[in-house]
Amino acid sequence: MTRFVCKPGGSLDGNFRVPGDKSISHRSIILASIADGSSHISGFLQGEDSLNTMRAFQQMGVPIARNQGEVTVSGVGLHGLQAPATDLDMGNSGTAMRLLLGLLAGQSFDARLIGDSSLSSRPMLRVIQPLQQMGAVIESADGGRAPLQVRGGQVLESIDYRMPVASAQVKSCLLLAGLYARGETIVHEPAPTRDHSERMLRGFGCDVASNAGEIRLRGNQALSACDIDVPADISSAAFFMVAASIASDSDITLQHVGINPTRTGVIDILKLMGADIDIVNRQEIGGEPVADIRVCSAALSGIEIPESLVPLAIDEFPVLFVAAACAVGETRLSGAEELRVKESDRIQAMADGLTRLGIETEVKPDGIIIQGGKLGGGEIDSHGDHRIAMAFSVASLAARRDICIRDCSNVNTSFPGFAELAQRAGIRISIDAG
Ligand code: S3P
């Protein structure tokens, strides 16, 4: 079992690019597969999650050629997917499972979605229930968990759905099902969530209207192929933003990072804590804003995290908790119960690890209170969660003793080459392959 062994201290410098955006990579394969014509994707994330999505579409008869991060998808059109011969394995990825469920609900064939033990314990009723209201036939394991069996050949009706949780996965699932439904699908979001699906559907020539938290899409619209330049993932860049902030004498520039405003909560939160972050070289590429992000060391202070920023930073909280542990004073987070149903229970997993390092935390059902302090060292369990593993690697910069992190192989789901890049940037990390 892969362990990260991190020596204390270090500073960061350099100018580098982290791997491609995971959300955009998944969507690029999904949309290009059901488009008419051939789409070229560059900067595709070569992580296990997005590669699983790619394999699923190959299993459904889509010709896809990949050379590293360059991918060419020969789209088969809205109704051109074929029945897969075997189960579609989504591995660790909630995004892949929930988005594919929406797409599969509208196909003429049956399919079965499976995942690893973490994914098989995550809630799927949030997508199963609205899809059933549209006419989908889905069978699940107890409590609405994977494996999920989808019965094809149903006639889907559009839905007007108020999402109880602010979830881009639920929204995107329903928009994909909506492509196969009669009438206009309308999704209302309780708070803004990442809007890559809407932007990318438009890029593929689809008519999608978004206004004041209401997204509308007519069924049966054909998609036309389009080329996609996947920016670097701000969720992966976030580890280095916190790293350069908490380590002394650091100055890094992260290149070509996606700064879609539905994803930049991490920058806003770090700036509220006193981080020294500059966004330079702003451009718009393929409908997504992209920029270089310069981060220098800074003295951070604890804050009350505004609840409005929670959905905009939802994947960055593990490393933001490390920033909070290194800040002067108290940081309070509430309204973040969704963190409990990610790849692990991220509130508990982070609280346990920080406690192990000597940081005082108070866990709440929907958040946490963290007292900034001095970090010791010790053995941390990542619970097989990529972002927990990477967050504690960053913590080593401010630690006084070694930090060893167990169960790190899932870092490859979102950030292949993390340890190597982190080491080059200045984190004293090594991999113990066990
Ligand atoms: C994602 C949406 C978010 C996020 C996940 C990726 C997406 O999940 O946590 O990593 O690509 O749509 P929720 O929709 O559950 O908030």
Side-chain angles (χ1 to χ4, degrees):
M1 195 183 268
T2 307
R3 282 191 337 152
F4 287 164
V5 179
C6 304
K7 300 269 170 219
S11 19
L12 273 88
D13 75 300
N15 199 317
F16 47 91
R17 180 168 172 165
V18 300
D21 189 279
K22 184 147 71 74
S23 294
I24 296 178
S25 294
H26 282 301
R27 287 160 172 82
S28 67
I29 295 286
I30 297 172
L31 298 181
S33 291
I34 56 167
D36 294 312
S38 179
S39 300
H40 185 77
I41 306 162
S42 54
F44 181 73
L45 170 65
Q46 302 170 69
E48 285 167 11
D49 279 7
S50 40
L51 291 173
N52 281 332
T53 294
M54 189 188 88
R55 269 183 227 111
F57 281 90
Q58 288 172 323
Q59 283 175 261
M60 291 189 281
V62 181
I64 305 178
R66 183 174 74 85
N67 180 8
Q68 310 283 350
E70 302 294 314
V71 183
T72 303
V73 181
S74 304
V76 295
L78 203 54
H79 299 286
L81 296 175
Q82 291 162 20
T86 49
D87 292 346
L88 302 174
D89 189 351
M90 301 294 99
N92 192 243
S93 175
T95 306
M97 185 166 276
R98 294 189 178 119
L99 270 57
L100 261 78
L101 191 68
L103 184 84
L104 291 169
Q107 304 303 315
S108 57
F109 52 81
D110 293 356
R112 189 164 179 267
L113 291 167
I114 60 170
D116 69 7
S117 62
S118 154
L119 185 53
S120 304
S121 66
R122 294 180 65 185
M124 293 296 149
L125 283 178
R126 55 181 59 195
V127 279
I128 294 174
Q129 283 170 342
L131 288 172
Q132 285 173 335
Q133 287 173 36
M134 295 175 81
V137 176
I138 300 164
E139 288 145 35
S140 64
D142 282 353
R145 316 274 154 176
L148 304 175
Q149 173 78 49
V150 193
R151 301 274 170 221
Q154 316 300 322
V155 176
L156 298 188
E157 298 294 340
S158 57
I159 191 171
D160 182 344
Y161 189 66
R162 278 185 190 280
M163 293 196 293
V165 281
S167 163
Q169 293 178 358
V170 175
K171 170 177 66 176
S172 305
C173 164
L174 298 180
L175 293 177
L176 288 169
L179 278 177
Y180 293 90
R182 293 202 294 214
E184 188 179 47
T185 291
I186 309 174
V187 183
H188 305 263
E189 43 185 15
T193 66
R194 66 190 68 193
D195 64 357
H196 304 300
S197 297
E198 297 91 302
R199 287 174 188 250
M200 293 177 72
L201 278 162
R202 284 184 202 114
F204 279 90
C206 239
D207 189 11
V208 186
S210 326
N211 184 27
E214 183 184 291
I215 300 98
R216 292 171 173 261
L217 166 131
R218 269 180 293 102
N220 212 21
Q221 297 187 52
L223 277 62
S224 358
C226 94
D227 291 345
I228 297 162
D229 174 355
V230 182
D233 197 329
I234 190 167
S235 298
S236 297
F239 296 103
F240 292 96
M241 292 183 209
V242 172
S245 299
I246 63 171
S248 57
D249 301 320
S250 297
D251 181 352
I252 59 165
T253 299
L254 297 152
Q255 299 160 348
H256 204 72
V257 182
I259 53 158
N260 179 312
T262 59
R263 298 285 299 280
T264 46
V266 61
I267 297 178
D268 299 333
I269 293 169
L270 284 173
K271 280 191 168 168
L272 288 172
M273 297 177 81
D276 180 354
I277 301 180
D278 258 339
I279 300 183
V280 294
N281 211 1
R282 290 174 188 264
Q283 322 167 49
E284 173 103 7
I285 294 186
E288 289 278 352
V290 171
D292 296 337
I293 301 178
R294 181 169 180 201
V295 189
C296 299
S297 317
L300 301 182
S301 310
I303 58 164
E304 169 128 20
I305 297 175
E307 277 198 28
S308 61
L309 292 177
V310 170
L312 312 182
I314 194 68
D315 290 338
E316 289 69 70
F317 282 108
V319 79
L320 282 169
F321 293 173
V322 170
C326 297
V328 174
E330 179 177 283
T331 295
R332 303 173 75 93
L333 172 69
S334 51
E337 54 279 351
E338 276 295 298
L339 291 179
R340 294 201 178 269
V341 290
K342 295 293 178 188
E343 286 82 328
S344 68
D345 174 345
R346 287 183 172 160
I347 294 177
Q348 198 59 52
M350 285 304 299
D352 291 347
L354 289 174
T355 304
R356 181 53 75 92
L357 299 182
I359 295 294
E360 221 181 289
T361 64
E362 190 184 329
V363 165
K364 305 272 185 191
D366 68 337
I368 191 166
I369 302 170
I370 298 172
Q371 304 295 339
K374 296 236 177 301
L375 275 67
E379 181 102 8
I380 305 286
D381 189 350
S382 78
H383 297 274
D385 184 330
H386 53 139
R387 300 204 202 279
I388 304 286
M390 291 186 276
F392 281 108
S393 314
V394 169
S396 66
L397 289 157
R400 280 173 302 170
R401 285 180 287 115
D402 287 6
I403 297 180
C404 298
I405 309 153
R406 282 197 297 268
D407 202 359
C408 295
S409 47
N410 276 340
V411 165
N412 288 329
T413 61
S414 68
F415 201 148
F418 167 76
E420 294 78 4
L421 184 59
Q423 194 182 53
R424 262 190 283 134
I427 298 178
R428 296 171 178 162
I429 181 171
S430 59
I431 302 177
D432 170 4

